[in-house]
Amino acid sequence: MEKRVLLGMTTEELTEFVVNELGESKFRVGQIAQWLNRGADIDGMTNLSAALREKLKNAAVANPIRILESYKSKIDETEKFLYALPDDNVIEGVVMRYKYGDTLCVSTQVGCRMGCAFCASTLDGRVRNLTAAEILGQVIAVNAHVKKQDPERRVHNIVLMGSGEPFDNYDEVCAFLRKVNDPEGLNISLRNISVSTCGLVDKMRAFADEGLPVTLSLSLHAPNDAVRVNIMPVAKKYGMNEVLDACRYYVRKTGRRVVFEYALIKNVNCSVACADELAAKLRGLQCHVNLIPLNDVKERNLEAPSKQEVAAFLKRLTERNISATVRREMGADIDGACGQLRRKALADGRLQL
Ligand code: SAH
């Protein structure tokens, strides 16, 4: 019999399960809910009797996310994960260790349907959305994993930059953000969370009105629509002016700057003329530009430019008074880029879709 998943059950569902199916007293429901909120496993629910924990374990799991495989970089301490979902789909994630704490990159969908030309996550399209519990479950599973390596370690920052388009799964993503920030739960500050979107304008505007003070990252990757349309199909639906207007709205509503992600791709978007055009477009917008030399994806015919070209692009933006940095590469030896690990595992036949 397939086990039930406790995390993500509503109070009514949990009550039905604990009281009606397991025949336990109602008092247990609150206790179990409290443990789940804090990310405990059934074994960790120490105010339940051993017998009840056994009973629970026979019928249920706490977390819908199970770490299937992990790969640790020998260069830095970056670690990648393949996770299994209850329906046997697989997703991936990566944790990066910084001086101030661990940053976890979470997935929001199995696959993605946005079709960006440089991205491995979208190659097989979208399989399904993740539930809020499945997004939260990634944080809980990695917390438990890193804690075993060092009891001081825990996820401190979260970036929604794994597989999937967060705003294509808007309601579950907002529910996750509220849940992970819950003082009774993991209590991770929204200021330590970044949500990255390819630019779904209507959802960006709705999100500005949610009152969730996270950092909004916008995957721009081009200085104009002509270049953007070539690499990001979403640009056919929402032009750059509309996207930048939505960014201005976000800044106005939240008082927070927007971060622009710009993957530098050889012969596509990294000339000095592109830097000039980008600087002109962003003038006056409270923002930071994150330059990412493209992670080569072997299925795509796109590559990163030379170090010199990257440096020239950065210099030009800086000269034009645009705040910009080049993202440090981490986990280069473990297929750090999004969607690569899952694809590799599927292609090797080690896992099935
Ligand atoms: N769908 C969301 C979030 C997931 S992707 C979005 O588009 O923002 C997270 C970031 O990684 C995005 O900026 C995306 O464009 C970028 N990215 C994807 N593939 C990449 C690659 N091969 N090299 C560099 N950046 C990549």
Side-chain angles (χ1 to χ4, degrees), residues 118-119 161-162 164-166 196-198 219 221 261 294-295 297 338:
F118 43 81
C119 182
M161 292 189 183
E165 164 52 45
S196 183
T197 178
C198 62
S219 297
H221 304 320
E261 306 288 326
L294 189 80
N295 273 305
V297 177
C338 115

Side-chain angles (χ1 to χ4, degrees), residues 206-220:
F207 193 67
D209 296 332
E210 292 281 349
L212 293 166
V214 303
T215 298
L216 184 68
S217 286
L218 189 284
S219 297
L220 196 57

Side-chain angles (χ1 to χ4, degrees), residues 22 24 42 48-58:
L22 299 184
E24 293 293 325
I42 294 173
L48 307 183
S49 69
L52 174 52
R53 276 183 270 155
E54 269 316 299
K55 197 161 152 189
L56 270 175
K57 270 171 32 182
N58 285 331

